[in-house]
């Protein structure tokens, strides 16, 4: 029996050929929407890792993220169209490509293709998890002082502490001192003799300590910014790097590797343990893909302020982070339910 029995389709009561054309268009909308969305999401994550770091706003990942979210919504809509036309979309096989399958030299229903497609999705999920952790750990767009200094033409100089540090506090992590926060007054060579700064240093600052300071020659009244865990020259240029020099960069790289390895283990299990028919059912299920589309859109909306260089609200931050977490957990849950199915 043909995969989609034309006699059962309400849209083909008048013209079966036209109905078949509509079905063919919807099938390829689903397939191409998945492919383009995968590529767009991969490019957005790649960009977020600083491979193509650009000044704010980060329109590159913003545009690619919008394309990925749009493709997810379009794909879900096409699946509902197929479901309405055929009365059933979750079948043992995806809609056949017919002559096109023969022309391409492989079948979209083959076990190898189904496994490869599922593996590609999990590869993207794994990569996105790593990119998310890196973005959360190294993005600094919410720092208003840095933004003001950059807008005033920030530069980086080596300065010397000229007054006793104030409000010195140790940054503790599990009773281990990671650094110190303080308010400093520094002297900048060929610049202000007294420049107030907020500082984070590895060692406890003292009079005479040399530090790198981000400041603006045109606006010394803004003070300065000292942070030895960040790359101040990158901040001065208005750029973002995923793995900058310094402690933040090393921590981000470690988080990226751990996230990739952890999610990668689940990805391998959930790619090869479910049967191909179960994986095919998930890929062509309109309700399941609609849930994915809603969560992907929520993640994009939540990350939009960060990509635009704006401060995200608490609700937007939760939408981006929690939405991504729910998306990954949903992928795992749906694939996990299929373990052992044929």
């Amino acid at each position: 029996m043909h995969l989609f029995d034309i006699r059962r389709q309400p849209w083909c009561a008048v013209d079966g050929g036209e109905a078949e054309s509509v079905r063919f268009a919807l099938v390829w909308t689903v397939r191409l929407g998945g492919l383009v969305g995968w590529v767009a999401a991969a490019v957005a994550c790649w960009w977020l890792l600083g491979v193509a770091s650009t000044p704010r706003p980060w329109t590159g990942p913003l545009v690619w993220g919008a394309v990925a979210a749009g493709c997810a919504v379009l794909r879900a809509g096409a699946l509902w169209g197929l479901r309405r036309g055929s009365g059933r979309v979750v079948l043992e096989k995806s809609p056949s490509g017919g002559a096109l399958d023969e022309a391409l030299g492989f079948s979209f229903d083959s076990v190898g293709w189904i496994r490869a497609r599922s593996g590609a999705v999990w590869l993207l999920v794994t990569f996105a998890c790593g990119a998310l952790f890196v973005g959360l750990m190294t993005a600094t767009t919410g720092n208003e002082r840095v933004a003001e200094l950059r807008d005033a033409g920030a530069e980086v100089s080596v300065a010397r502490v000229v007054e006793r540090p104030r409000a010195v506090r140790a940054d503790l992590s599990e009773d281990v001192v990671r650094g110190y926060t303080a308010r400093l007054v520094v002297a900048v060579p060929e610049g202000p003799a007294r420049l107030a700064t907020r500082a984070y240093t590895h060692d406890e600052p003292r009079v005479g300590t040399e530090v790198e300071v981000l400041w603006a020659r045109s606006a010394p009244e803004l003070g300065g910014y000292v942070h030895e865990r960040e790359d101040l020259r990158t901040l001065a240029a208005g750029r973002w790097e995923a793995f900058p020099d310094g402690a933040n960069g090393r921590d981000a790289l470690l988080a990226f590797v751990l996230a990739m390895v952890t999610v990668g283990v689940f990805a391998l299990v959930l790619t090869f343990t479910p049967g191909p028919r179960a994986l095919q059912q998930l890929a062509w299920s309109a309700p399941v893909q609609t849930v994915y589309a809603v969560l992907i859109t929520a993640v994009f909306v939540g990350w939009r302020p960060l990509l635009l260089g704006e401060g995200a609200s608490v609700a937007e931050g939760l939408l981006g982070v929690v939405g991504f977490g729910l998306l990954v957990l949903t992928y795992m849950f749906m694939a996990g339910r299929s373990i052992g199915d044929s």
Side-chain angles (χ1 to χ4, degrees), residues 9-88:
Q9 297 185 11
W11 59 23
C12 62
V14 177
D15 190 339
E18 181 180 350
E20 184 66 20
S21 298
V22 171
R23 185 189 68 81
F24 182 84
L26 290 174
V27 167
W28 279 97
T29 298
V30 173
R31 287 174 174 164
L32 292 178
L35 175 61
V36 175
W38 189 96
V39 172
V43 172
C45 293
W46 187 259
W47 208 308
L48 281 174
L49 283 181
V51 175
S53 56
T54 57
R56 296 183 308 161
W58 299 317
T59 53
L62 179 70
V63 171
W64 285 107
V67 171
C71 285
V73 173
L74 179 64
R75 189 169 188 270
L79 284 169
W80 280 109
L82 285 170
R83 184 185 179 95
R84 179 182 178 185
S86 66
R88 187 182 179 200

Side-chain angles (χ1 to χ4, degrees), residues 190-238:
E190 300 182 3
R194 292 173 56 84
L195 184 71
T197 71
R198 299 174 183 175
Y200 182 97
T201 58
H202 294 306
D203 300 319
E204 186 174 359
R206 304 178 186 278
V207 174
T209 298
E210 289 189 344
V211 294
E212 282 194 337
V213 60
L214 182 72
W215 67 291
R217 192 176 298 275
S218 64
E221 67 277 4
L222 293 177
Y225 181 76
V226 174
H227 204 303
E228 293 186 346
R229 292 181 62 88
E230 297 182 359
D231 188 339
L232 298 186
R233 287 175 173 76
T234 299
L235 296 181

Side-chain angles (χ1 to χ4, degrees), residues 270 274 278 282 288 330-341:
L270 297 176
L282 287 177
V288 171
T330 302
Y331 268 110
M332 290 183 174
F333 174 73
M334 295 306 300
R337 288 182 59 196
S338 302
I339 292 178
D341 293 346

Side-chain angles (χ1 to χ4, degrees), residues 113-128:
W113 168 252
I114 294 171
R115 295 288 189 198
R117 183 186 61 201
S118 178
V121 170
W122 277 109
L123 178 63
L124 178 60
V125 171
T126 304
F127 186 45

Side-chain angles (χ1 to χ4, degrees), residues 2-4 20 23-25 27-28 31 93-110 113 280 284:
H2 193 277
L3 181 65
F4 285 96
E20 184 66 20
R23 185 189 68 81
F24 182 84
V27 167
W28 279 97
R31 287 174 174 164
K93 295 182 179 181
S94 65
S96 174
L100 185 57
D101 281 10
E102 297 178 3
L104 294 175
F106 77 99
S107 173
F108 287 101
D109 300 324
S110 67
W113 168 252
Q280 196 76 319
W284 290 87

